[in-house]
Amino acid sequence: FRSFVGWFRGWFRVGWVGSGGFGWFRVVPPFSINVLFGPGKKNLRSSIPDNLQLSVYGKIIKKVNEAKFLGVLLDEDLSWKPHIAKLNKTLKSACGRLYRIVNCLPAKLHKQIYHSLFESHLSYAISVWGGVAISNLDPVFRTQKKCIRIMFGDTNLFLEKFRTCVRARPIDKQKLGKEFFCRESSKPLFTHENLLTVQNLYRLRSIMELVKIVQSKEPKPIYQTLNISKRSGNRFLTPEPSIYFSYRAPWLWNCFRKLPRLENFGLDSDENLIKSVLKKSLLETQKSGSENWLNSNFTEFCTVEP
């Protein structure tokens, strides 16, 4: 027992905390790394000598700018940009595989294949990295729209335009303009298949994970950071605005809770009921407006019947 306590204390002595940041690594010397996270780390880094090395049991711990942990790429700024870029490459690869097999599968299986081979990658840990600005999610959203067109779009109609020789067209249509190369709008496809965009998928997952945490009070480290209003037990007092779950999830719940007809709808309501109403609201918001995507399709909630 004493040897275990000594090892445990030694493990904690390896981790170090500095002003505005902290070091993190896995303490397995041959495979360990350390990363400097946190706000103000640039000032902290300038105060650390370039030749400073961290070692455990005589093994040098390599310093890196990013590290993969449980499938999520953590960068030193916690901006999630490296993770989003890597995820986008994975999704593009999935699009290529789907394009090669989509014509070999019955249409009734397309949605199931989309969930299995594409959305499973897209939604993994999305409540962690999905709170970034909408513009930072644009590359992933473009790839998602491409996949939706591959799986559910009218491919034959698009290819038909290229099967006709230009000379066979009327003279006023021989000059191919913007309309000829315009892609099929993805918004009606999302609506027809009842699928959520990456922005709304993030809102759904964040709120539902928040509800689970509040109802189970687990994990405690996250639950203890939540500040539930004492005047209204169904609202949160949000911390300083940020892109992280601790702020975004409570803020999204407060926005959702403001909808009319949800007066008796609270954090203690049935989890499946909350998910059903929330998804219905997001789908209604997503299809509102014209055929073109609007910013309000990803930021607002529509009133629906509970």
Side-chain angles (χ1 to χ4, degrees):
F1 177 75
R2 289 182 178 179
S3 62
F4 174 78
V5 171
W7 175 87
F8 200 68
R9 288 177 177 174
W11 188 90
F12 271 98
R13 279 200 296 268
V14 173
W16 56 274
V17 179
S19 174
F22 60 90
W24 171 87
F25 47 84
R26 289 171 286 179
V27 190
V28 183
F31 309 103
S32 297
I33 55 176
N34 79 82
V35 186
L36 182 63
F37 295 115
K41 64 171 178 31
K42 292 183 179 179
N43 297 330
L44 179 62
R45 184 187 301 160
S46 62
S47 64
I48 299 176
D50 295 335
N51 60 352
L52 181 66
Q53 292 182 331
L54 184 65
S55 65
V56 180
Y57 307 125
K59 301 291 185 178
I60 301 298
I61 305 299
K62 182 181 178 182
K63 186 181 184 305
V64 296
N65 296 327
E66 56 189 44
K68 192 173 184 179
F69 182 68
L70 297 178
V72 179
L73 202 59
L74 304 171
D75 61 287
E76 58 184 358
D77 296 321
L78 293 179
S79 64
W80 311 115
K81 291 181 181 179
H83 177 78
I84 292 173
K86 187 175 184 300
L87 172 65
N88 199 33
K89 291 181 180 179
T90 302
L91 296 178
K92 286 181 178 180
S93 177
C95 284
R97 294 194 297 270
L98 290 173
Y99 180 78
R100 290 190 289 270
I101 67 173
V102 65
N103 294 325
C104 304
L105 300 171
K108 63 181 181 180
L109 294 180
H110 286 186
K111 192 170 181 178
Q112 183 178 346
I113 295 297
Y114 167 80
H115 286 301
S116 301
L117 299 183
F118 188 89
E119 193 176 281
S120 59
H121 294 288
L122 179 63
S123 61
Y124 178 75
I126 193 172
S127 60
V128 174
W129 55 265
V132 297
I134 291 179
S135 58
N136 291 343
L137 291 176
D138 281 346
V140 175
F141 185 38
R142 286 194 294 268
T143 305
Q144 186 186 21
K145 291 189 291 184
K146 179 180 179 180
C147 182
I148 292 295
R149 293 189 185 101
I150 290 173
M151 299 301 297
F152 309 107
D154 193 344
T155 306
N156 293 329
L157 180 63
F158 179 76
L159 295 178
E160 183 65 28
K161 296 187 293 185
F162 297 94
R163 292 173 182 159
T164 305
C165 178
V166 174
R167 294 182 180 180
R169 303 176 188 275
I171 191 169
D172 58 333
K173 294 184 178 180
Q174 288 186 7
K175 185 177 181 180
L176 304 181
K178 183 179 178 181
E179 294 182 357
F180 177 83
F181 296 98
C182 184
R183 298 175 181 176
E184 182 181 8
S185 175
S186 61
K187 192 171 181 179
L189 301 178
F190 276 95
T191 301
H192 183 265
E193 300 298 331
N194 287 329
L195 296 173
L196 293 174
T197 64
V198 59
Q199 300 90 340
N200 288 324
L201 196 59
Y202 164 74
R203 297 202 287 170
L204 175 68
R205 293 296 179 89
S206 294
I207 292 178
M208 291 312 303
E209 288 184 19
L210 178 69
V211 171
K212 291 179 181 179
I213 291 172
V214 172
Q215 292 186 356
S216 65
K217 299 183 179 181
E218 293 288 345
K220 289 184 178 179
I222 298 180
Y223 176 74
Q224 291 172 353
T225 64
L226 302 176
N227 190 0
I228 302 176
S229 173
K230 295 180 180 179
R231 295 182 59 186
S232 172
N234 292 322
R235 299 180 66 83
F236 292 91
L237 302 178
T238 56
E240 182 180 353
S242 69
I243 64 173
Y244 307 122
F245 180 85
S246 58
Y247 166 76
R248 293 283 296 173
W251 178 76
L252 286 171
W253 169 264
N254 289 344
C255 294
F256 174 63
R257 188 64 177 71
K258 289 179 182 178
L259 293 178
R261 305 175 187 175
L262 296 181
E263 294 80 4
N264 299 322
F265 207 68
L267 291 166
D268 56 349
S269 300
D270 181 69
E271 184 179 321
N272 293 327
L273 176 61
I274 295 176
K275 184 175 182 179
S276 174
V277 175
L278 176 58
K279 187 173 182 179
K280 192 185 301 183
S281 174
L282 292 174
L283 288 172
E284 288 295 323
T285 304
Q286 192 172 272
K287 71 180 183 182
S288 62
S290 63
E291 283 196 357
N292 297 322
W293 291 104
L294 305 173
N295 191 57
S296 59
N297 296 137
F298 315 124
T299 57
E300 298 178 0
F301 293 93
C302 278
T303 303
V304 294
E305 290 292 340

